[in-house]
Amino acid sequence: MVAGGLAAAAGLVGGCSGTDQLGVRAGTTAGATSRGPTSNASTVPFRGPRQAGVVTEPQPYAAWVGLDLAPGADRDSARRLLRVWTDDIERLMAARAPVTDLEPELAGVAARLTVTVGVGPGFYAAVGLEADRPEWLAPLPRFPVDRLDPRWGQTDLVVQVCADSPVAVSHARRRLVVGAEPLVRQRWVQRGFREPLTGSREGLPFRNLFGQVDGTVQPAVDGIDDHLVWLGRDAPRGLRGGSSMVVRRIAMDLDRWDAADRRARENAVGRRLSDGAPLTGTSETDPPDLLAKDGLGFPVIDGASHMRRAMPQQPHERILRRPYSYDDPPGPDARTDSGLVFVSFQADPVRQFVPIQRRLAEADLLNIWTTPVGSAVYAVLPGARPGETLGQALLI
Ligand code: HEM
């Protein structure tokens, strides 16, 4: 009922074709953000050359599950796992219950559910395909700002589950984990949220817990920037139609942020809090003027601001960001445990993500308040076309 209500309020009830477009936040590095149409379908198609959940307009609720293959796993057991997941995911995304579902009623509510499966370096080792592992599928370099907790570290597999309903996320996540036992062991679960879609709020930008408009400058997802996100003709074996996924858990010190005044906050990112416009512009999509000076001759956009440091220095240094906020119960000595599950998709994380993260680690005013505490990288498998299973081309 709840999910149905949400879907109805967002105008989501209706067809099942699914546009699979990151319509709301698509733009270019030149700042030409287009606020295209939001999806009007209540289910997203599972079958196709690419997995859903990458360029799909971000749903409000998400969970990522990091799993390891059970000891002794081999190519056969990996095939079995992906066969089970393919069937279960296809059913869940179509709002149908997996065959072993003990709460089938929970699966029956269409909530734009997507499930995206990725594999880590350990997967390649376990299935005896080490020689085919893409070079970029390896631990990211250690950045000086990192304070990584092994609790949120690299795993053999990741499953990203997103939906308009938290019930749908919770149910699908559990079904996929339980359905895959004893082939896998769950190591961690991260949960994230964005603004729920409701009639009056539809199309609102994502604001992270610092209150910043986040996700303005993105590669276009209408085909022009496909090469930045998707693996094409030159893809490593078995990954054509796939991508890579970086998952960084970044703690945000909201208590220290409280102590910063509005000017310091806006200076730290180079954009206005009210509407996300660059400090030199009047609207969110205005390109920033990096040469503009204030009355005293200082740059209006600080050279160490997050935006300035994150901007591409080479045309390929662009990534598709799909972050979510988290707000977990704090430990006994803390008031908050909040931050960003920073998720990005790119064809090659070493070429595209690492140079950006290096510049941010060297100098980014946001580092005063943010600390990466988890890091993992995965190859996103290609989609499953009709009759195929996920990972089929890789595990032949
Ligand atoms: C831009 C916040 C971490 C890459 C931005 C913007 C905000 C923001 C508010 C400006 C609006 C926009 O274009 O989206 C944050 C916060 C972070 C974080 C709060 C951590 C808690 C990261 C990380 C990376 C990154 C880890 C990649 C290594 C980018 C890029 C842009 C951007 C590429 C667009 C820059 C441009 O071309 O204008 N971020 N970000 N961010 N961020 Fe982050």
Side-chain angles (χ1 to χ4, degrees):
M1 267 325 258
V2 174
L6 260 184
L12 297 174
V13 177
C16 289
S17 57
T19 54
D20 198 25
Q21 286 275 311
L22 188 92
V24 177
R25 312 297 303 156
T28 70
T29 47
T33 300
S34 82
R35 225 165 256 182
T38 50
S39 169
N40 63 355
S42 49
T43 61
V44 177
F46 167 69
R47 294 283 169 190
R50 296 165 175 170
Q51 288 196 73
V54 176
V55 297
T56 308
E57 180 202 340
Q59 305 92 319
Y61 303 98
W64 297 262
V65 189
L67 310 113
D68 284 336
L69 289 166
D74 59 11
R75 206 176 302 182
D76 267 351
S77 54
R79 275 200 201 102
R80 245 188 353 262
L81 166 71
L82 289 170
R83 212 177 307 128
V84 170
W85 271 354
T86 301
D87 192 51
D88 288 355
I89 294 170
E90 180 167 29
R91 285 166 187 269
L92 286 163
M93 283 179 58
R96 288 187 293 126
V99 273
T100 56
D101 201 338
L102 298 175
E103 295 88 24
E105 292 77 10
L106 293 184
V109 182
R112 252 183 358 118
L113 179 85
T114 58
V115 179
T116 317
V117 178
V119 298
F123 181 89
Y124 276 82
V127 300
L129 288 174
E130 197 48 40
D132 289 321
R133 178 168 56 84
E135 263 176 49
W136 47 254
L137 188 57
L140 294 172
R142 219 186 148 78
F143 303 100
V145 286
D146 288 355
R147 299 288 175 271
L148 301 183
D149 182 340
R151 189 175 159 208
W152 308 116
Q154 183 68 53
T155 53
D156 296 342
L157 293 145
V158 73
V159 175
Q160 173 188 269
V161 185
C162 305
D164 291 342
S165 146
V167 179
V169 170
S170 173
H171 176 66
R173 177 175 68 76
R174 186 172 146 72
R175 278 318 344 143
L176 293 170
V177 172
V178 173
E181 281 166 351
L183 299 172
V184 290
R185 289 182 184 168
Q186 173 175 295
R187 187 121 71 79
W188 48 250
V189 177
Q190 307 196 40
R191 278 199 206 90
F193 57 87
R194 305 166 68 104
E195 203 68 61
L197 301 173
T198 64
S200 60
R201 310 192 73 127
E202 193 180 351
L204 269 190
F206 169 58
R207 284 187 184 267
N208 60 42
L209 295 179
F210 284 161
Q212 303 160 333
V213 175
D214 194 341
T216 301
V217 177
Q218 297 270 43
V221 292
D222 55 5
I224 299 171
D225 288 333
D226 267 11
H227 62 288
L228 292 171
V229 177
W230 299 109
L231 292 161
R233 241 181 242 121
D234 305 332
R237 198 184 73 75
L239 289 184
R240 187 167 176 183
S243 183
S244 81
M245 177 176 178
V246 169
V247 184
R248 305 262 294 168
R249 187 175 180 85
I250 306 179
M252 292 164 50
D253 190 337
L254 299 185
D255 293 329
R256 284 189 81 192
W257 183 251
D258 279 352
D261 64 18
R262 213 161 161 92
R263 205 165 153 197
R265 293 172 174 207
E266 294 188 329
N267 191 52
V269 74
R271 288 181 174 271
R272 271 206 310 262
L273 286 164
S274 56
D275 53 10
L279 293 179
T280 52
T282 54
S283 85
E284 186 192 343
T285 54
D286 284 347
D289 178 356
L290 302 175
L291 302 175
K293 301 262 168 40
D294 66 14
L296 298 171
F298 291 109
V300 177
I301 295 179
D302 197 305
S305 64
H306 180 73
M307 175 182 68
R308 182 73 189 91
R309 300 296 296 176
M311 285 171 83
Q313 291 193 352
Q314 301 289 333
H316 61 263
E317 291 176 3
R318 295 163 61 201
I319 54 180
L320 181 66
R321 293 172 287 140
R322 209 172 181 278
Y324 282 75
S325 295
Y326 70 84
D327 182 23
D328 286 352
D333 302 323
R335 198 167 353 140
T336 50
D337 179 11
S338 305
L340 211 60
V341 185
F342 176 93
V343 174
S344 69
F345 295 95
Q346 52 281 302
D348 181 336
V350 171
R351 279 189 87 222
Q352 296 170 247
F353 173 87
V354 169
I356 305 171
Q357 179 62 85
R358 277 217 169 97
R359 284 198 298 277
L360 296 181
E362 272 163 21
D364 170 7
L365 287 169
L366 275 191
N367 293 341
I368 297 171
W369 301 277
T370 61
T371 312
V373 295
S375 183
V377 57
Y378 301 93
V380 174
L381 295 172
R385 295 169 198 258
E388 288 181 354
T389 50
L390 286 167
Q392 184 167 315
L394 184 63
L395 296 176
I396 282 170

